[in-house]
Every structure is written in structure tokens, then in C-alpha cells.
Amino acid sequence: MSSLRTEGLTKSFGGVLAVDGVTVELRDGAINGLIGPNGSGKTTFFNIVTGMIRPDAGRVLYRDREITRHAPHRIAHAGIGRTFQLCRVFPRLTVLENMLVAVRRTRLRELMAGLRDAGETERARHWLRRMGIEHLEEAEARDLSYGQQKLLELAAVLMAEPDLVLLDEPAGGVNPALIDRITGLVRDLNAEGRTFLVVEHNMDMVMGMCDHVIVFDRGAPIAEGPPSAVREDPRVLEAYLGV
Ligand code: ADP
């Protein structure tokens, strides 16, 4: 069974073909990287997979079940979590409140019923500890550094216990020490059985962390394989150098 698979995924905006018939399959249990020049369709692909954009054509399958055009909360419920390029937290809620809201966003039915799971706070604290930000539990999210907010966002995503985690530029805007920490966390979370798909411009991070790299150019995959092979691929060099 594959983790995530797409077939002929296509999306255009006006005259721009952002995603052009993408058929790809993630390596289950691996840290998959998605790279490509600016405008090559990576974000649009992420947004289609997570239900934020509807494709014009094609299918998205998760664990062999079709999730094409499902609403974002249903996709989250199916086991796919994601972070955003510009990280999204609720600035005026505390760190702990952000964690508890996160899980409720994916459990709408429970939210409606006003149920409260006594274990949630405990789980929230567990993930905050894993991220090393448990001491900030009572702080308002807006008072955290940008890097700490990124860790909070990842912790909040993990509250839904996703099997597949999509990270949109985890290293963007964070200092080298924190990049190392995020890399270590992703490796640990992967070793525990989670599959990752990471869009990232920081090539050192991608090449050092990923098991399998998919390269997009002009809306479609042009190469894929282990980092060592992808790095040397003439099609990839051409796409990046623009020759
Ligand atoms: P990447 O994430 O690889 O930089 P994107 O998916 O953001 O690429 O963009 C792919 C192409 O689609 C680009 O040409 C971009 O300008 C275009 N595009 C993306 N989103 C929109 C939108 N909402 N409206 C119009 N064009 C868009």
C-alpha cells in the first residue's frame, strides 16, 4: 500500500498551468523531499493534496483511498497533517491553547458536541516537550520567536497524530541551530513511523535529511531518486540553472 499517490493531477490559474498532469508516489515510511525552482508548482501541489485547492483534473489517493476534492478537515482526519510556509498560529492564544484548538479543528464532530477529552492537555504537553517549548505553555503565541512558533505549529500538527506530515519550507526564516533541531525532530518522528513530504529551498537540509527527492519543473516531476542521484541529474541542473 502506498502512502500518497497522485494520478494526472492538473491545475491551472487563468492561463498558467501550475500543476501539469502530476503522477507521483511517495515512499511510504520515508522522508520525501519536493524541490524545484520558484513557480514550479510545489505549493499548488501541496494545496491540492491537503484539500485547499481543487484540481481541474486527476486524483489524489491516500493509502489507496481517494481523497480528491475532500475538505481539508476530512483530509486531516484521514491522517495527513501539514505546516505552512508562513507559519500559522493563533497569536493571541497561549501555546497550550493553540495545541488544544489544533486537535479540535480536526475533530469537528466532537467540537460540535462540546466534548472534552481529558487526555488532550497531557498529549499537548507531551508534544510541547518533544519540541522543547514546554516552558512556554502559558505564553501567548505572538510572544514566541519565529522559530518557536514554527515548533509550535509542528507540535499542533502532531496533535492530530498524522501518519503523513507535509512540511512547507520548515527551514524558511529560521537560524542554522534551529534548522538542525528541526532536522533532528523530523528524523526522530520519521523513525517512529511517520512519512514526510518536505518542500524546502535549503538544499543542505533537503540533501542531508531526505531519503527520496522529487524534482518539479514547470508543474511536473522531471526527476526523482535518492539525494545523491538527484543532485547530479543533468535535468535537475538544467532546471535550476535555467539553461
Ligand atoms: P512553487 O511553490 O513551486 O513556487 P506555485 O505552486 O506557487 O510554485 O506556483 C506555480 C505557478 O502557478 C506559478 O506560475 C504561480 O505564479 C502560479 N500560481 C500559483 N497560485 C496562483 C494563484 N492563486 N493565482 C494565479 N496564479 C497562481
Side-chain angles (χ1 to χ4, degrees), residues 11-14 16-19 35-47 53 85 168-169 199 201 216 218-219:
K11 175 73 188 178
S12 54
F13 297 103
V16 179
L17 199 49
V19 168
I35 64 170
N38 273 333
S40 57
K42 306 180 297 293
T43 305
T44 306
F45 177 78
F46 250 46
N47 286 339
I53 287 181
Q85 202 170 330
D168 198 350
E169 297 197 20
V199 167
H201 287 295
F216 271 23
R218 281 170 273 187

Side-chain angles (χ1 to χ4, degrees), residues 18-158:
V19 168
D20 185 8
V22 170
T23 298
V24 287
E25 184 170 340
L26 297 190
R27 295 287 161 92
D28 197 13
I31 303 177
N32 298 266
L34 176 57
I35 64 170
N38 273 333
S40 57
K42 306 180 297 293
T43 305
T44 306
F45 177 78
F46 250 46
N47 286 339
I48 294 172
V49 167
T50 52
M52 304 185 72
I53 287 181
R54 288 166 168 249
D56 300 330
R59 306 203 304 153
V60 183
L61 295 116
Y62 181 60
R63 302 205 170 281
D64 293 337
R65 290 199 179 167
E66 176 133 16
I67 56 164
T68 324
R69 296 185 181 81
H70 285 190
H73 73 270
R74 268 184 83 190
I75 293 174
H77 217 140
I80 302 178
R82 84 169 281 186
T83 64
F84 290 85
Q85 202 170 330
L86 296 172
C87 98
R88 291 187 182 180
V89 296
F90 295 102
R92 287 173 186 273
L93 294 185
T94 68
V95 165
L96 187 60
E97 285 165 350
N98 264 277
M99 296 293 285
L100 299 175
V101 165
V103 75
R104 271 148 205 281
R105 278 151 87 192
T106 62
R107 292 185 186 166
L108 289 180
R109 220 171 272 148
E110 289 172 33
L111 177 64
M112 299 296 185
L115 296 178
R116 178 155 180 94
D117 177 346
E120 275 176 21
T121 304
E122 203 173 305
R123 281 200 313 117
R125 289 185 172 134
H126 162 80
W127 287 119
L128 293 175
R129 265 196 305 278
R130 288 287 302 268
M131 300 297 130
I133 54 171
E134 73 278 16
H135 57 293
L136 298 168
E137 175 184 317
E138 294 301 330
E140 285 189 13
R142 62 179 170 165
D143 292 330
L144 270 55
S145 72
Y146 187 65
Q148 289 168 336
Q149 289 187 28
K150 284 219 151 188
L151 292 170
L152 170 58
E153 190 190 29
L154 179 55
V157 166
L158 293 165

Side-chain angles (χ1 to χ4, degrees), residues 1-4 26-32 62-63 75-82 127 157-166 186 189-197:
M1 186 163 56
S2 76
S3 168
L4 184 85
L26 297 190
R27 295 287 161 92
D28 197 13
I31 303 177
N32 298 266
Y62 181 60
R63 302 205 170 281
I75 293 174
H77 217 140
I80 302 178
R82 84 169 281 186
W127 287 119
V157 166
L158 293 165
M159 279 296 279
E161 308 288 349
D163 294 317
L164 170 63
V165 185
L166 277 52
V186 171
L189 294 165
N190 171 249
E192 291 161 13
R194 294 175 191 84
T195 301
F196 280 84
L197 176 62

